[in-house]
Amino acid sequence: MKNRKKDLIQFFVWMRNGTSFCVTWFLILMLLFCATYRKESISTEVLGKLVLLCIGGVLLFSLCFTKLVMQKGSFVLRLSCFMLLFSIYECFGFYTLGMFNGNGTAWQWIAFVVIVLGLYGICIGIYQSYSKKKGALYTQQLRNYQQRRREENGK
């Protein structure tokens, strides 16, 4: 029960921090967009949709990466679930915000899929590199420990 409480606290901390981070960055991007295209105002409807879009994305992330839904599961499994769900959610959100119009062309969808798969591949690459370094470090520490134990026991 104690682990469940810890996971729940982590979930809410990630929700708070992630929502704050995402809303801030999207507002900065919207301000840059409006300044670039000399748009004088942002409607409250668009801002509301933006906040809800951010909360939904952070919710998906938090559910996939905390142990509330998936108690066991590797990082790659969690990342794969998140990327699949988030890509679908992102398309829905962009249509809702009016960033996507119509069905889009085949090239636009190919570009979207290539970007998503590219970023997914980069994440997996970083994870593999990190895991390899940590694995080598752990193995070296284990060997050092075993050597010290042999020396202490006179073997």
Side-chain angles (χ1 to χ4, degrees), residues 55-110:
I55 290 171
V58 173
L59 178 67
L60 287 175
F61 176 86
S62 298
L63 288 174
C64 287
F65 285 97
T66 60
K67 293 185 179 181
L68 290 176
V69 177
M70 284 190 281
Q71 282 76 27
K72 297 181 183 192
S74 68
F75 172 77
V76 174
L77 174 67
R78 291 172 186 274
L79 181 65
S80 298
C81 288
F82 172 70
M83 290 299 289
L84 178 65
L85 293 172
F86 186 73
S87 296
I88 294 166
Y89 181 74
E90 185 177 29
C91 290
F92 168 76
F94 286 165
Y95 273 109
T96 303
L97 284 174
M99 296 171 84
F100 286 179
N101 295 322
N103 291 332
T105 66
W107 288 112
Q108 289 171 327
W109 283 107
I110 289 170

Short mmCIF file of all heavy atoms in Angstrom, two decimals, residues 55-110:
data_model
loop_
_atom_site.label_atom_id
_atom_site.label_comp_id
_atom_site.label_asym_id
_atom_site.label_seq_id
_atom_site.Cartn_x
_atom_site.Cartn_y
_atom_site.Cartn_z
N ILE A 55 -2.85 19.20 -20.64
CA ILE A 55 -3.22 18.33 -19.52
C ILE A 55 -3.40 16.89 -20.01
O ILE A 55 -2.93 15.95 -19.38
CB ILE A 55 -4.49 18.85 -18.82
CG1 ILE A 55 -4.19 20.15 -18.07
CG2 ILE A 55 -5.05 17.80 -17.86
CD1 ILE A 55 -5.42 20.86 -17.53
N GLY A 56 -4.06 16.72 -21.16
CA GLY A 56 -4.26 15.38 -21.70
C GLY A 56 -2.95 14.70 -22.06
O GLY A 56 -2.75 13.51 -21.78
N GLY A 57 -2.04 15.43 -22.68
CA GLY A 57 -0.73 14.87 -23.03
C GLY A 57 0.07 14.48 -21.81
O GLY A 57 0.68 13.40 -21.76
N VAL A 58 0.06 15.33 -20.81
CA VAL A 58 0.78 15.03 -19.57
C VAL A 58 0.12 13.86 -18.85
O VAL A 58 0.81 13.01 -18.27
CB VAL A 58 0.86 16.28 -18.66
CG1 VAL A 58 1.44 15.94 -17.30
CG2 VAL A 58 1.67 17.38 -19.33
N LEU A 59 -1.20 13.76 -18.91
CA LEU A 59 -1.90 12.63 -18.32
C LEU A 59 -1.47 11.32 -18.97
O LEU A 59 -1.18 10.34 -18.29
CB LEU A 59 -3.42 12.82 -18.44
CG LEU A 59 -4.28 11.69 -17.90
CD1 LEU A 59 -4.15 11.59 -16.39
CD2 LEU A 59 -5.73 11.89 -18.29
N LEU A 60 -1.40 11.31 -20.30
CA LEU A 60 -0.94 10.12 -21.00
C LEU A 60 0.48 9.74 -20.58
O LEU A 60 0.78 8.58 -20.32
CB LEU A 60 -0.99 10.32 -22.51
CG LEU A 60 -2.37 10.34 -23.16
CD1 LEU A 60 -2.24 10.69 -24.65
CD2 LEU A 60 -3.05 9.00 -22.99
N PHE A 61 1.36 10.74 -20.51
CA PHE A 61 2.74 10.49 -20.10
C PHE A 61 2.79 9.91 -18.69
O PHE A 61 3.45 8.90 -18.44
CB PHE A 61 3.56 11.78 -20.17
CG PHE A 61 4.96 11.61 -19.67
CD1 PHE A 61 5.96 11.17 -20.51
CD2 PHE A 61 5.29 11.88 -18.35
CE1 PHE A 61 7.26 11.01 -20.06
CE2 PHE A 61 6.58 11.71 -17.88
CZ PHE A 61 7.56 11.27 -18.74
N SER A 62 2.08 10.55 -17.78
CA SER A 62 2.11 10.13 -16.37
C SER A 62 1.53 8.73 -16.20
O SER A 62 2.05 7.93 -15.41
CB SER A 62 1.34 11.13 -15.50
OG SER A 62 1.96 12.40 -15.57
N LEU A 63 0.47 8.42 -16.92
CA LEU A 63 -0.12 7.07 -16.83
C LEU A 63 0.82 6.01 -17.40
O LEU A 63 0.90 4.90 -16.87
CB LEU A 63 -1.47 7.03 -17.54
CG LEU A 63 -2.61 7.75 -16.84
CD1 LEU A 63 -3.85 7.74 -17.73
CD2 LEU A 63 -2.92 7.15 -15.48
N CYS A 64 1.52 6.36 -18.47
CA CYS A 64 2.42 5.38 -19.09
C CYS A 64 3.69 5.15 -18.29
O CYS A 64 4.22 4.05 -18.27
CB CYS A 64 2.79 5.81 -20.51
SG CYS A 64 1.44 5.65 -21.70
N PHE A 65 4.18 6.18 -17.60
CA PHE A 65 5.49 6.06 -16.96
C PHE A 65 5.46 5.89 -15.45
O PHE A 65 6.47 5.55 -14.86
CB PHE A 65 6.39 7.23 -17.36
CG PHE A 65 6.92 7.11 -18.75
CD1 PHE A 65 6.30 7.75 -19.80
CD2 PHE A 65 8.01 6.31 -19.02
CE1 PHE A 65 6.77 7.63 -21.10
CE2 PHE A 65 8.49 6.17 -20.31
CZ PHE A 65 7.87 6.84 -21.35
N THR A 66 4.32 6.13 -14.80
CA THR A 66 4.25 5.76 -13.39
C THR A 66 3.76 4.32 -13.30
O THR A 66 3.37 3.73 -14.30
CB THR A 66 3.27 6.66 -12.59
OG1 THR A 66 1.96 6.55 -13.14
CG2 THR A 66 3.73 8.11 -12.58
N LYS A 67 3.79 3.77 -12.12
CA LYS A 67 3.39 2.37 -11.95
C LYS A 67 1.92 2.23 -11.57
O LYS A 67 1.52 1.19 -11.08
CB LYS A 67 4.29 1.71 -10.91
CG LYS A 67 5.72 1.60 -11.40
CD LYS A 67 6.59 0.85 -10.44
CE LYS A 67 8.00 0.77 -11.00
NZ LYS A 67 8.90 0.04 -10.15
N LEU A 68 1.13 3.26 -11.80
CA LEU A 68 -0.29 3.19 -11.47
C LEU A 68 -1.04 2.24 -12.40
O LEU A 68 -1.91 1.49 -11.97
CB LEU A 68 -0.94 4.58 -11.53
CG LEU A 68 -0.54 5.55 -10.43
CD1 LEU A 68 -1.16 6.90 -10.67
CD2 LEU A 68 -0.94 5.01 -9.07
N VAL A 69 -0.73 2.27 -13.69
CA VAL A 69 -1.43 1.44 -14.67
C VAL A 69 -0.61 0.19 -14.98
O VAL A 69 -1.12 -0.92 -14.92
CB VAL A 69 -1.72 2.23 -15.96
CG1 VAL A 69 -2.37 1.35 -17.00
CG2 VAL A 69 -2.62 3.42 -15.64
N MET A 70 0.65 0.39 -15.34
CA MET A 70 1.54 -0.73 -15.66
C MET A 70 2.52 -0.91 -14.49
O MET A 70 3.47 -0.14 -14.36
CB MET A 70 2.34 -0.45 -16.93
CG MET A 70 1.57 -0.58 -18.20
SD MET A 70 2.65 -0.52 -19.67
CE MET A 70 2.93 1.23 -19.83
N GLN A 71 2.25 -1.90 -13.64
CA GLN A 71 3.15 -2.11 -12.51
C GLN A 71 4.51 -2.61 -12.98
O GLN A 71 5.53 -2.27 -12.41
CB GLN A 71 2.56 -3.13 -11.51
CG GLN A 71 1.49 -2.57 -10.60
CD GLN A 71 0.16 -2.38 -11.30
OE1 GLN A 71 -0.15 -3.08 -12.27
NE2 GLN A 71 -0.63 -1.44 -10.84
N LYS A 72 4.50 -3.44 -14.00
CA LYS A 72 5.74 -3.95 -14.57
C LYS A 72 5.76 -3.58 -16.03
O LYS A 72 4.74 -3.49 -16.68
CB LYS A 72 5.82 -5.46 -14.39
CG LYS A 72 5.87 -5.87 -12.94
CD LYS A 72 5.97 -7.35 -12.77
CE LYS A 72 5.94 -7.62 -11.27
NZ LYS A 72 6.29 -8.95 -10.93
N GLY A 73 6.91 -3.39 -16.53
CA GLY A 73 7.06 -3.06 -17.93
C GLY A 73 8.35 -2.32 -18.14
O GLY A 73 8.72 -1.46 -17.33
N SER A 74 9.02 -2.64 -19.20
CA SER A 74 10.30 -2.00 -19.49
C SER A 74 10.08 -0.57 -19.97
O SER A 74 8.97 -0.18 -20.34
CB SER A 74 11.04 -2.80 -20.55
OG SER A 74 10.36 -2.70 -21.79
N PHE A 75 11.17 0.17 -19.99
CA PHE A 75 11.11 1.54 -20.49
C PHE A 75 10.66 1.56 -21.95
O PHE A 75 9.85 2.40 -22.33
CB PHE A 75 12.49 2.21 -20.35
CG PHE A 75 12.56 3.54 -21.01
CD1 PHE A 75 11.99 4.65 -20.40
CD2 PHE A 75 13.17 3.70 -22.24
CE1 PHE A 75 12.04 5.90 -21.01
CE2 PHE A 75 13.21 4.93 -22.86
CZ PHE A 75 12.66 6.03 -22.25
N VAL A 76 11.17 0.63 -22.74
CA VAL A 76 10.83 0.60 -24.17
C VAL A 76 9.34 0.34 -24.36
O VAL A 76 8.69 0.97 -25.19
CB VAL A 76 11.69 -0.45 -24.91
CG1 VAL A 76 11.25 -0.59 -26.36
CG2 VAL A 76 13.16 -0.07 -24.84
N LEU A 77 8.76 -0.57 -23.58
CA LEU A 77 7.33 -0.84 -23.65
C LEU A 77 6.52 0.41 -23.27
O LEU A 77 5.58 0.79 -23.96
CB LEU A 77 6.93 -2.00 -22.74
CG LEU A 77 5.44 -2.28 -22.63
CD1 LEU A 77 4.90 -2.78 -23.96
CD2 LEU A 77 5.16 -3.27 -21.52
N ARG A 78 6.93 1.05 -22.18
CA ARG A 78 6.24 2.27 -21.73
C ARG A 78 6.34 3.38 -22.78
O ARG A 78 5.36 4.05 -23.08
CB ARG A 78 6.80 2.74 -20.39
CG ARG A 78 6.48 1.81 -19.25
CD ARG A 78 7.23 2.22 -17.98
NE ARG A 78 7.03 1.27 -16.93
CZ ARG A 78 6.00 1.28 -16.07
NH1 ARG A 78 5.09 2.22 -16.16
NH2 ARG A 78 5.89 0.36 -15.14
N LEU A 79 7.54 3.55 -23.33
CA LEU A 79 7.74 4.58 -24.34
C LEU A 79 6.92 4.28 -25.59
O LEU A 79 6.31 5.18 -26.17
CB LEU A 79 9.23 4.70 -24.70
CG LEU A 79 9.57 5.76 -25.73
CD1 LEU A 79 9.28 7.16 -25.20
CD2 LEU A 79 11.03 5.65 -26.14
N SER A 80 6.88 3.01 -25.99
CA SER A 80 6.11 2.63 -27.18
C SER A 80 4.62 2.90 -26.98
O SER A 80 3.96 3.45 -27.87
CB SER A 80 6.33 1.15 -27.49
OG SER A 80 7.68 0.91 -27.77
N CYS A 81 4.10 2.53 -25.82
CA CYS A 81 2.68 2.81 -25.52
C CYS A 81 2.42 4.31 -25.53
O CYS A 81 1.45 4.78 -26.12
CB CYS A 81 2.31 2.22 -24.16
SG CYS A 81 2.19 0.44 -24.14
N PHE A 82 3.31 5.06 -24.90
CA PHE A 82 3.13 6.50 -24.84
C PHE A 82 3.17 7.12 -26.24
O PHE A 82 2.31 7.95 -26.58
CB PHE A 82 4.20 7.15 -23.96
CG PHE A 82 4.18 8.65 -24.02
CD1 PHE A 82 3.15 9.37 -23.46
CD2 PHE A 82 5.20 9.33 -24.67
CE1 PHE A 82 3.12 10.76 -23.54
CE2 PHE A 82 5.18 10.71 -24.76
CZ PHE A 82 4.15 11.43 -24.19
N MET A 83 4.15 6.75 -27.04
CA MET A 83 4.27 7.33 -28.38
C MET A 83 3.05 7.03 -29.25
O MET A 83 2.57 7.90 -29.97
CB MET A 83 5.55 6.84 -29.07
CG MET A 83 6.82 7.39 -28.47
SD MET A 83 6.98 9.17 -28.54
CE MET A 83 7.24 9.42 -30.28
N LEU A 84 2.56 5.81 -29.17
CA LEU A 84 1.37 5.45 -29.95
C LEU A 84 0.16 6.25 -29.50
O LEU A 84 -0.51 6.90 -30.32
CB LEU A 84 1.10 3.95 -29.81
CG LEU A 84 -0.15 3.44 -30.54
CD1 LEU A 84 0.02 3.60 -32.04
CD2 LEU A 84 -0.42 2.00 -30.18
N LEU A 85 -0.12 6.24 -28.19
CA LEU A 85 -1.28 6.97 -27.67
C LEU A 85 -1.14 8.47 -27.90
O LEU A 85 -2.10 9.15 -28.29
CB LEU A 85 -1.46 6.68 -26.18
CG LEU A 85 -1.85 5.25 -25.81
CD1 LEU A 85 -1.79 5.05 -24.31
CD2 LEU A 85 -3.21 4.91 -26.36
N PHE A 86 0.06 9.01 -27.66
CA PHE A 86 0.25 10.44 -27.78
C PHE A 86 0.15 10.91 -29.23
O PHE A 86 -0.36 11.99 -29.50
CB PHE A 86 1.61 10.86 -27.19
CG PHE A 86 1.79 12.35 -27.17
CD1 PHE A 86 1.09 13.14 -26.27
CD2 PHE A 86 2.64 12.96 -28.07
CE1 PHE A 86 1.24 14.51 -26.26
CE2 PHE A 86 2.80 14.33 -28.06
CZ PHE A 86 2.11 15.11 -27.16
N SER A 87 0.63 10.10 -30.18
CA SER A 87 0.53 10.48 -31.59
C SER A 87 -0.92 10.60 -32.02
O SER A 87 -1.30 11.55 -32.72
CB SER A 87 1.25 9.46 -32.47
OG SER A 87 2.62 9.45 -32.17
N ILE A 88 -1.74 9.66 -31.60
CA ILE A 88 -3.17 9.72 -31.91
C ILE A 88 -3.80 10.94 -31.24
O ILE A 88 -4.54 11.71 -31.85
CB ILE A 88 -3.87 8.42 -31.48
CG1 ILE A 88 -3.36 7.25 -32.33
CG2 ILE A 88 -5.39 8.55 -31.58
CD1 ILE A 88 -3.71 5.88 -31.79
N TYR A 89 -3.47 11.14 -29.96
CA TYR A 89 -4.00 12.28 -29.20
C TYR A 89 -3.55 13.60 -29.81
O TYR A 89 -4.31 14.57 -29.89
CB TYR A 89 -3.56 12.17 -27.74
CG TYR A 89 -4.06 13.28 -26.87
CD1 TYR A 89 -5.39 13.32 -26.48
CD2 TYR A 89 -3.22 14.30 -26.44
CE1 TYR A 89 -5.87 14.35 -25.69
CE2 TYR A 89 -3.68 15.32 -25.64
CZ TYR A 89 -5.01 15.34 -25.27
OH TYR A 89 -5.47 16.36 -24.48
N GLU A 90 -2.29 13.65 -30.24
CA GLU A 90 -1.73 14.86 -30.84
C GLU A 90 -2.48 15.23 -32.12
O GLU A 90 -2.81 16.40 -32.34
CB GLU A 90 -0.25 14.63 -31.13
CG GLU A 90 0.50 15.81 -31.63
CD GLU A 90 1.96 15.49 -31.81
OE1 GLU A 90 2.32 14.33 -32.08
OE2 GLU A 90 2.76 16.45 -31.69
N CYS A 91 -2.76 14.25 -32.96
CA CYS A 91 -3.53 14.51 -34.19
C CYS A 91 -4.91 15.07 -33.85
O CYS A 91 -5.35 16.07 -34.43
CB CYS A 91 -3.67 13.24 -35.01
SG CYS A 91 -2.14 12.70 -35.76
N PHE A 92 -5.58 14.43 -32.89
CA PHE A 92 -6.88 14.91 -32.45
C PHE A 92 -6.78 16.35 -31.93
O PHE A 92 -7.60 17.21 -32.28
CB PHE A 92 -7.43 13.98 -31.36
CG PHE A 92 -8.63 14.52 -30.64
CD1 PHE A 92 -9.88 14.51 -31.24
CD2 PHE A 92 -8.49 15.07 -29.37
CE1 PHE A 92 -10.98 15.02 -30.58
CE2 PHE A 92 -9.59 15.58 -28.71
CZ PHE A 92 -10.84 15.56 -29.31
N GLY A 93 -5.79 16.61 -31.11
CA GLY A 93 -5.61 17.95 -30.54
C GLY A 93 -5.31 18.99 -31.58
O GLY A 93 -5.83 20.11 -31.53
N PHE A 94 -4.47 18.66 -32.55
CA PHE A 94 -4.13 19.63 -33.59
C PHE A 94 -5.33 19.93 -34.48
O PHE A 94 -5.51 21.05 -34.93
CB PHE A 94 -2.95 19.14 -34.42
CG PHE A 94 -1.63 19.25 -33.70
CD1 PHE A 94 -0.52 18.58 -34.18
CD2 PHE A 94 -1.48 20.00 -32.55
CE1 PHE A 94 0.70 18.68 -33.55
CE2 PHE A 94 -0.27 20.10 -31.89
CZ PHE A 94 0.83 19.44 -32.40
N TYR A 95 -6.18 18.93 -34.72
CA TYR A 95 -7.42 19.19 -35.46
C TYR A 95 -8.34 20.09 -34.64
O TYR A 95 -8.96 21.01 -35.16
CB TYR A 95 -8.14 17.89 -35.82
CG TYR A 95 -7.67 17.28 -37.11
CD1 TYR A 95 -6.92 16.11 -37.12
CD2 TYR A 95 -7.96 17.88 -38.33
CE1 TYR A 95 -6.48 15.55 -38.32
CE2 TYR A 95 -7.53 17.34 -39.53
CZ TYR A 95 -6.79 16.17 -39.51
OH TYR A 95 -6.36 15.63 -40.70
N THR A 96 -8.42 19.82 -33.34
CA THR A 96 -9.28 20.62 -32.46
C THR A 96 -8.82 22.07 -32.40
O THR A 96 -9.64 22.99 -32.38
CB THR A 96 -9.29 20.01 -31.03
OG1 THR A 96 -9.73 18.66 -31.11
CG2 THR A 96 -10.21 20.78 -30.11
N LEU A 97 -7.51 22.29 -32.36
CA LEU A 97 -6.97 23.65 -32.31
C LEU A 97 -7.01 24.34 -33.67
O LEU A 97 -6.75 25.54 -33.76
CB LEU A 97 -5.53 23.63 -31.80
CG LEU A 97 -5.32 23.43 -30.31
CD1 LEU A 97 -3.85 23.29 -29.99
CD2 LEU A 97 -5.93 24.58 -29.52
N GLY A 98 -7.31 23.59 -34.72
CA GLY A 98 -7.35 24.18 -36.05
C GLY A 98 -6.00 24.22 -36.74
O GLY A 98 -5.85 24.86 -37.77
N MET A 99 -5.00 23.56 -36.15
CA MET A 99 -3.67 23.53 -36.77
C MET A 99 -3.66 22.58 -37.96
O MET A 99 -2.91 22.79 -38.91
CB MET A 99 -2.63 23.11 -35.74
CG MET A 99 -2.50 24.11 -34.59
SD MET A 99 -1.46 23.50 -33.28
CE MET A 99 0.14 23.95 -33.90
N PHE A 100 -4.45 21.51 -37.90
CA PHE A 100 -4.62 20.60 -39.03
C PHE A 100 -5.99 20.89 -39.63
O PHE A 100 -6.96 21.03 -38.92
CB PHE A 100 -4.59 19.14 -38.58
CG PHE A 100 -3.23 18.60 -38.20
CD1 PHE A 100 -3.10 17.30 -37.75
CD2 PHE A 100 -2.08 19.36 -38.29
CE1 PHE A 100 -1.87 16.78 -37.41
CE2 PHE A 100 -0.85 18.86 -37.95
CZ PHE A 100 -0.74 17.56 -37.52
N ASN A 101 -6.05 20.97 -40.95
CA ASN A 101 -7.32 21.18 -41.65
C ASN A 101 -7.49 20.10 -42.69
O ASN A 101 -6.54 19.69 -43.34
CB ASN A 101 -7.33 22.55 -42.34
CG ASN A 101 -7.28 23.69 -41.34
OD1 ASN A 101 -7.88 23.61 -40.29
ND2 ASN A 101 -6.54 24.74 -41.67
N GLY A 102 -8.71 19.64 -42.86
CA GLY A 102 -8.98 18.63 -43.87
C GLY A 102 -8.30 17.31 -43.55
O GLY A 102 -7.92 17.04 -42.41
N ASN A 103 -8.16 16.49 -44.57
CA ASN A 103 -7.54 15.18 -44.39
C ASN A 103 -6.02 15.23 -44.45
O ASN A 103 -5.35 14.32 -44.00
CB ASN A 103 -8.05 14.20 -45.44
CG ASN A 103 -9.51 13.86 -45.22
OD1 ASN A 103 -9.99 13.91 -44.10
ND2 ASN A 103 -10.20 13.53 -46.30
N GLY A 104 -5.47 16.26 -45.04
CA GLY A 104 -4.02 16.34 -45.23
C GLY A 104 -3.61 15.52 -46.43
O GLY A 104 -4.30 14.60 -46.85
N THR A 105 -2.46 15.85 -46.96
CA THR A 105 -1.95 15.10 -48.10
C THR A 105 -1.14 13.91 -47.60
O THR A 105 -0.77 13.85 -46.43
CB THR A 105 -1.06 15.99 -48.98
OG1 THR A 105 0.12 16.34 -48.23
CG2 THR A 105 -1.78 17.24 -49.43
N ALA A 106 -0.86 13.02 -48.51
CA ALA A 106 -0.05 11.85 -48.14
C ALA A 106 1.33 12.30 -47.65
O ALA A 106 1.86 11.74 -46.68
CB ALA A 106 0.10 10.92 -49.35
N TRP A 107 1.92 13.32 -48.30
CA TRP A 107 3.23 13.80 -47.89
C TRP A 107 3.21 14.41 -46.50
O TRP A 107 4.17 14.26 -45.74
CB TRP A 107 3.77 14.81 -48.90
CG TRP A 107 4.17 14.14 -50.18
CD1 TRP A 107 3.56 14.28 -51.39
CD2 TRP A 107 5.23 13.21 -50.37
NE1 TRP A 107 4.17 13.49 -52.32
CE2 TRP A 107 5.21 12.81 -51.72
CE3 TRP A 107 6.18 12.65 -49.53
CZ2 TRP A 107 6.11 11.91 -52.25
CZ3 TRP A 107 7.09 11.75 -50.06
CH2 TRP A 107 7.05 11.38 -51.40
N GLN A 108 2.13 15.11 -46.13
CA GLN A 108 2.03 15.68 -44.79
C GLN A 108 1.98 14.57 -43.74
O GLN A 108 2.62 14.66 -42.70
CB GLN A 108 0.80 16.57 -44.69
CG GLN A 108 0.93 17.85 -45.47
CD GLN A 108 -0.37 18.63 -45.54
OE1 GLN A 108 -1.46 18.04 -45.58
NE2 GLN A 108 -0.27 19.94 -45.57
N TRP A 109 1.20 13.53 -44.02
CA TRP A 109 1.11 12.41 -43.06
C TRP A 109 2.42 11.63 -43.00
O TRP A 109 2.83 11.20 -41.93
CB TRP A 109 -0.07 11.50 -43.42
CG TRP A 109 -1.36 12.11 -42.99
CD1 TRP A 109 -2.31 12.65 -43.79
CD2 TRP A 109 -1.82 12.28 -41.65
NE1 TRP A 109 -3.35 13.14 -43.04
CE2 TRP A 109 -3.07 12.93 -41.71
CE3 TRP A 109 -1.30 11.97 -40.40
CZ2 TRP A 109 -3.81 13.26 -40.59
CZ3 TRP A 109 -2.04 12.30 -39.27
CH2 TRP A 109 -3.26 12.93 -39.36
N ILE A 110 3.07 11.48 -44.14
CA ILE A 110 4.38 10.81 -44.14
C ILE A 110 5.38 11.62 -43.32
O ILE A 110 6.13 11.06 -42.51
CB ILE A 110 4.87 10.59 -45.59
CG1 ILE A 110 4.02 9.51 -46.27
CG2 ILE A 110 6.35 10.20 -45.61
CD1 ILE A 110 4.26 9.37 -47.76
#
